Amino acid sequence: MPPDPVPPIDRPTEPRTGPSHDTWVFAYGSLMWNPGFAFAERCEARLIGAHRALCVYSFHHRGTPEHPGLVLGLDLGGSCRGIAYRVAAADWPSVHAYLTEREQISGVYRECTRRVQLLDGSRRTEPALAYVVNRAHPQYAKGLGLEEQLALVRRSHGKSGPNVDYVVATVSALEALGLADPDLAWIAHHLRPGHTGA
């Protein structure tokens, strides 16, 4: 019988004191099209038990505290297809430091290990670092409708650039993989140049 694709409980990532084994990182948003770190392998992958959603208010990368943007998080339920990156053991300390600085600015993400299925024909599963939204955090954006999401994305700009660019680039990356996310695609459609109205 194949192993369960998801462990029953998230567990914190284990500290690495030296190169001992390679580590997988699961990407579902900007890490798909802008990883920013060295990796030894890139593979499509599926994570079960959480789904991709614009559920995080961005006060830094794509917005400000006064004008929050919206970025993606892994929220409870469903499944998510994305990219898994294998990071060589020797590179892991610097890669983990980079990811911590990039993703853990405010603590809205819980860094944990989740098991993902690699979609390379092997049917194997691997433990991977994943960033799951912390629903108790003030930046968790719960229950926003598509029109509300669109308005926030359209107006917001942060340290890493316009919120519009983030959403459009993510949808383009998903389309390149042959993946459909109807809600994100609707928002991106209304954000692309030449579209008028809501």
Side-chain angles (χ1 to χ4, degrees), residues 30-31 33-39 85 95 98-99 102:
S30 62
L31 288 176
W33 47 268
N34 181 29
F37 57 84
F39 55 89
Y85 297 101
V95 169
Y98 165 77
L99 289 171
R102 174 171 166 169

Side-chain angles (χ1 to χ4, degrees), residues 50-65:
H51 64 281
R52 180 189 295 104
L54 277 176
C55 63
V56 175
Y57 290 117
S58 178
F59 295 166
H60 182 77
H61 285 298
R62 300 293 173 172
T64 65

Side-chain angles (χ1 to χ4, degrees), residues 58-164:
S58 178
F59 295 166
H60 182 77
H61 285 298
R62 300 293 173 172
T64 65
E66 296 76 23
H67 298 287
L70 276 180
V71 292
L72 293 163
L74 282 175
D75 205 357
L76 293 177
S79 65
C80 181
R81 284 184 64 177
I83 299 293
Y85 297 101
R86 180 172 60 83
V87 179
D91 293 329
W92 179 245
S94 62
V95 169
H96 188 228
Y98 165 77
L99 289 171
T100 299
E101 181 179 2
R102 174 171 166 169
E103 303 293 338
Q104 298 290 76
I105 295 171
S106 66
V108 68
Y109 296 110
R110 292 187 296 111
E111 182 185 273
C112 57
T113 300
R114 299 291 296 267
R115 192 163 285 278
V116 299
Q117 182 182 37
L118 302 182
L119 303 177
D120 58 357
S122 69
R123 298 181 60 84
R124 65 190 169 114
T125 62
E126 294 284 352
L129 179 148
Y131 291 98
V132 178
V133 68
N134 176 2
R135 286 186 157 201
H137 197 279
Q139 283 176 247
Y140 176 55
K142 180 180 180 181
L144 296 179
L146 288 179
E147 296 281 358
E148 294 174 287
Q149 294 176 39
L150 175 63
L152 284 170
V153 170
R154 181 176 275 152
R155 76 178 189 190
S156 302
H157 189 290
K159 180 181 178 180
S160 297
N163 205 168
V164 169

